[in-house]
Amino acid sequence: AMNAVFNSATARQGIEYVIESLRLPVDLQSALRSMHADFDEQYKCLIEKGLLASKSGTLATCFQQLINEAKTTASDYSVDYHSQLIYLTSRIFAYWSLKSMNSFVSGAMSNKNAVNAAIEYLKKPHAAQIVAIWSLLNFQHHEYQILENHLVEVLTGEGKSIVLGVTAIILAMTNCDVSCVCYSSYLSSRDYAAFYYMFEDFGVLCSIKYSTVEDACDKLFNRGGNTRSLSRDIAWSKKTGRTDSENIEERPQILLIDEVDVFFKKDFYGATYNSADFLHHQSIEELLKHIWANRHSLNRSSLASSPLASAFLELFPKDIQPIISQTFGEMLRGAKGVDSHDYIVSEGKICYKDHDGLNSNWCYGYLTTFAAIKEYESGRLSEKQMKESFGISLSCGHASYAEIPNAFDAILGVTGTLMSLSQKEKDILSHQYGIEKMTYIPSVYGRNKLLFAGDTPKDMIIADDEANFHLELRNEIDTRRKSNKAGGPLRGVMAFFESKETLKALYESDHLLYLKSATRVITEEIAPHDKEGAFLQATRSGAITLMIREFGRGTDFKCFDSRMLDGGGVHVIQAFFSTEIAEEIQIKGRTARQGARGSYSMVLNAESLMEKMGLAPSDIESMRLKSTYYSYLDSRRSNDYEDMCNRLKDKVAEAERCHYETIDYKNCALKNKRNDAIVYLEKWNGVSFESPRAVATKASFIAEKRKRIKKLQEMERNRRREARSKNALPLLSDEIADGKIEEKFFDAHETPDCTPLMIEDETYYDVLGVSITADVSEIEQAFRKASLACHPDKTSDPIARERFHKLTEAKDVLSCPRRRRDYDADVRRRA
C-alpha cells in the first residue's frame, strides 16, 4: 500500500517538472526528454510482461531474461552510450520493481483490469531518480562513457539509496570497480544488504564495495602493496619485493559518496588515517605481563635494561632494534594511561564508539592491549581475546583522508545537503577534489511540509542553565506530543542530543519521571539487530525517543500512522546547536519525510552555547530582545566555520606531506630499498625527527592520474569504434538502391540481399512499417507513431495490447545493432 501512496503522491512531479527545475540547455532538455520517453516505454512493457509472467507462473524465466539482456547490453560496445543507459536502467528497474511484488499486487492481478491495477502497487522509479542516475553517469555524452567528478542533490527520504545502488550496478556492469562510502558502518551494512540480491543476480558482487570512509581508505591506500605486511617483513628482515601482480587490471576506480558533508568534517579534512601493525611473537606475552604487574614502579630506563626487554630486543635485526626499543616507552604509557582510556566492553571484546555503533576492530596501540589485560583480570574478557591484542605496535604510515578521494578515477556523490554548501566548501570541493559539476534534483513530492520558525521563541527555546534546560525539554516534549487536530492521537517525539552524557542527564532527572514509561533511549550501545525495531517504535503515536546525534543522519524513521500524520506528524527536537549546517539539515530530515507533515524545534542550554560558540551573556540577551535566535546563531556558525577552514590549511598541508611520504615509503619497500624504508619507519616511530625527502608528490600523482584517465577514456572510445565497425549493418545508399553501382563491385550472386525478412506472416520491419535500411531514429519515430493507438494506458483491448507488445519487441530488436544483425541473419537462414 505504501508503494501506491508514493506513486500517487509523486505522479504530479513528472519528467517535465524535473527538466524545468534543472534549467538545462535546450539540447540537453531534448536529450533527457527523449531518453526518458524511451525508458518509460521499455520499462512499462517489461513490467507488463513480468506481471503476466507472474500470473502464468513463469516469473523466474522473466527475471533471468532481464538479467541476460542487461549483461549482453553492458558488454555490447557497438551500442551508443545513450541507448546503453536507457536499456540498462529500464532492465534493472524493471527487475527491482517486479521483485517488490507483494500481496497487494497479487490481489490486484486477480481483478478485471489486472495489469494496470497491479502496477500501482509496485515500487516504481520516479523521473527525478532516473535523471539523478543519468546525471551521475554523464548522459551529456551521447556516444561514449566519459565519467567526470559530479555531485547530485537528492533530498533526504527521496531515494538516495536506490540512486546509489542502481548507479553502482550500471558502473560495475560497464567494467568499473565501485567503492560506495557511507557515514557509518550501520548505514553501509543496511544499504548493502538492501541491494545485495541485485548485486549478486546481475553478477557485480565482486565489483561493488560498501564501506565507511575508514575502511575504504584502508583498502585503497594498501592497493598494490600493503604497508602493514611490508613493514612486518622489514622488521623481521624478510624480502619485501612485490608479491602481487605487477599489472593491476585497467578498470576505472569509482568513488560513490553518500552525503558530501563527510568531506568537511574535522576528523576527515586535515586528519590522517594512521596505519600500524602488531608484530606478534610468543615472548611478547611475558614482557607485557611484566610491564602490567610493575607499571607503577617501572620507568623507561629500568624497563629497557630488564632481562626480558633485552632478550626480546635481540630477536630483531640491528637496524630495527632502535625502533623496537623506542616502543618500550609507549608500552609504559599505555599501561599507566589505561585507567583514563575511553572504551566499552561489549560481547567479550574491547570496543570503541564508531558513529552510531561500536567497533571492535579499532586499536589504540598499547592502550587497547592493556585494556584487554585489565578486563581479562576482571573476568570480562576471555584469555583468547586478551592474547589477540598482544604484540609490538609498529607505526607504518599516515594517509591523508583528504587525499584518498583523489586516488579514484572519478568521484560521484549523492547528497541531501548540496544546496546548503557555503562558498568555502565549494572552493574545497573544487580545489582539493576537482569537483565542479553539481546537479540539484527537485523534490519528488514538491514543497516540503516541515514547520520551523527559527526566530520565534516557540521553535527556538534557550534555557539559562542545566536545570531549566531539562525543564524546557520536558515541557517541549509534553506540548509537542499533543495532536494539532482535536481528538487526534498523540504525536511521536524524537529528541537528539549532543552526547550520551547530556541525554542520560535528562533521562535520569526528576523532570522526566512521569514520562519515563513512554520514553526509549537509543545510544551507540544498542545491538545492531534491535535498531530497526527501535526506529519503527520511535514514530508511533505517543512515543518519546531520546537519541544521540549520530542517529540523526541517514536513519530511516518510517511513519505509517495516517491519523498521526494528519495531526502534525512526528516532531523532532534538537537539544544542541550543530556547528555544521549539514548535520542540522540531516536531523530535520528525520521528520516531514516523503511529502508528509512534520515539525522541528530547538531547545538549547545557554551555558553550553556560550562555551562552545564563544558567546557572551549579552549575545544571548540580544537574541531574545530582537527575536533573532536562529538567524544570529546561523550567521555565527558560518563565520566560525570559515575561520576553522582557514586554520586547518596548515594541518591539511602537513597531512598531505605525510600521505605522499607514505606512498614513497611503500615504493621503497616494494623495490627492496631497505635503508630508505627504515628512515621513514624511524621517523614515524619516534626514533628520528628528520623528514626524509619524499620522491612522491601530489603534483606527480595527479599527473599520473590524468594520464591514466586519458588512457581509460581512449580505451573506451576504441572499444566502441571497433565494435561498431565490426557490427554495423551495411546500409544501402541511394546509388545501390537505384542500381547505379558499377558492375565490377557486384555480380549477380553478390548483390546485397534485400528480400523481406519473414517471421511467420510479417517481419519486424513490417510491424513498424519501416524499410530494411531504416536507421535507429526512423525506427523510434515509427514506434512512437504506431504505439499511440494501442498503448496499454489508452486501451484495455487485448488485441491492441498484443499489438503494442509486438511493436515494442520489434523496436527493441531493431534499435540494437547487435540484436538486429543476429535477427536479420536468423530470418534469412529460416527463409
Side-chain angles (χ1 to χ4, degrees), residues 534-784:
F535 300 152
L536 281 173
Q537 290 281 347
T539 62
R540 290 189 175 172
S541 174
I544 301 169
T545 311
L546 311 182
M547 288 172 275
I548 54 173
R549 67 198 299 175
E550 285 80 2
F551 289 102
R553 290 173 176 267
T555 310
D556 252 342
F557 293 100
K558 297 172 182 174
C559 182
F560 302 107
D561 190 334
S562 58
R563 289 183 66 226
M564 190 182 81
L565 290 172
D566 287 341
V570 174
H571 183 79
V572 166
I573 300 170
Q574 187 169 337
F576 66 99
F577 192 77
S578 297
T579 55
E580 298 163 354
I581 184 66
E583 179 182 44
E584 182 187 304
I585 291 170
Q586 287 284 329
I587 291 174
K588 284 176 179 173
R590 297 316 101 196
T591 186
R593 296 170 70 81
Q594 300 179 341
R597 291 184 176 89
S599 54
Y600 167 90
S601 62
M602 286 190 187
V603 178
L604 307 174
N605 184 341
E607 292 176 339
S608 177
L609 265 182
M610 289 189 286
E611 179 187 345
K612 294 185 182 304
M613 299 190 73
L615 301 179
S618 58
D619 295 322
I620 304 291
E621 189 59 32
S622 176
M623 280 189 281
R624 285 178 175 143
L625 291 172
K626 296 178 182 178
S627 290
T628 56
Y629 301 91
Y630 182 79
S631 54
Y632 179 86
L633 290 173
D634 186 42
S635 174
R636 185 68 176 251
R637 168 170 57 196
S638 298
N639 293 335
D640 289 350
Y641 183 78
E642 190 160 337
D643 291 343
M644 184 200 74
C645 288
N646 291 331
R647 290 195 303 272
L648 279 175
K649 282 182 179 177
D650 291 341
K651 198 175 177 184
V652 171
E654 173 61 19
E656 180 186 304
R657 187 178 62 78
C658 291
H659 183 90
Y660 291 100
E661 278 187 356
T662 307
I663 288 176
D664 195 42
Y665 162 72
K666 187 162 73 172
N667 290 336
C668 291
L670 288 169
K671 294 173 183 175
N672 270 307
K673 294 182 178 179
R674 181 180 176 85
N675 293 338
D676 292 338
I678 287 175
V679 173
Y680 284 113
L681 289 175
E682 287 178 340
K683 179 193 174 185
W684 297 329
N685 290 278
V687 175
S688 167
F689 295 100
E690 292 182 15
S691 291
R693 186 169 176 268
V695 175
T697 64
K698 182 171 183 175
S700 62
F701 186 84
I702 295 297
E704 286 299 316
K705 174 183 170 178
R706 284 175 180 155
K707 283 182 190 176
R708 171 180 161 82
I709 291 172
K710 189 175 180 181
K711 180 182 176 184
L712 289 169
Q713 289 178 350
E714 194 57 39
M715 287 168 61
E716 159 75 5
R717 288 191 185 94
N718 289 338
R719 273 196 294 256
R720 291 189 185 268
R721 284 172 184 156
E722 289 169 12
R724 286 167 194 166
S725 65
K726 288 178 183 177
N727 297 340
L729 283 171
L731 299 179
L732 296 180
S733 68
D734 292 337
E735 288 186 316
I736 297 174
D738 293 338
K740 295 178 182 176
I741 300 271
E742 289 182 30
E743 192 175 353
K744 64 181 179 179
F745 286 96
F746 297 100
D747 58 27
H749 69 276
E750 291 175 323
T751 303
D753 184 358
C754 298
T755 56
L757 305 175
M758 302 296 293
I759 293 185
E760 296 176 348
D761 296 325
E762 59 181 359
T763 68
Y764 283 154
Y765 299 95
D766 294 331
V767 169
L768 291 167
V770 297
S771 72
I772 191 174
T773 61
D775 61 22
V776 174
S777 63
E778 289 173 317
I779 289 166
E780 289 179 347
Q781 187 177 1
F783 171 79
R784 289 197 189 98

Side-chain angles (χ1 to χ4, degrees), residues 159 176 269 297 342 362 421 423 426 505 534 543 586 715 762 791 817:
C176 298
Y269 188 62
S297 58
D342 191 15
W362 287 0
L421 292 182
Q423 189 55 51
K426 289 179 181 177
Q586 287 284 329
M715 287 168 61
E762 59 181 359
H791 197 284

Side-chain angles (χ1 to χ4, degrees), residues 401-442:
Y401 284 122
E403 291 302 315
I404 288 296
N406 290 321
F408 288 87
D409 298 312
I411 305 168
L412 308 177
V414 180
T415 179
T417 58
L418 202 55
M419 193 72 77
S420 66
L421 292 182
S422 66
Q423 189 55 51
K424 193 75 176 177
E425 289 169 325
K426 289 179 181 177
D427 290 343
I428 291 172
L429 288 175
S430 174
H431 300 145
Q432 179 69 34
Y433 306 112
I435 301 174
E436 303 281 355
K437 296 182 75 172
M438 298 182 191
T439 300
Y440 303 89
I441 302 295

Side-chain angles (χ1 to χ4, degrees), residues 25 76 107 183 238 294 322 334 351 383 456 475 617 624 672 804 819:
D76 187 354
Y183 168 73
K238 294 179 182 178
N294 301 282
C351 300
E383 185 177 16
T456 66
N475 291 341
R624 285 178 175 143
N672 270 307
F804 180 79
R819 296 179 72 195

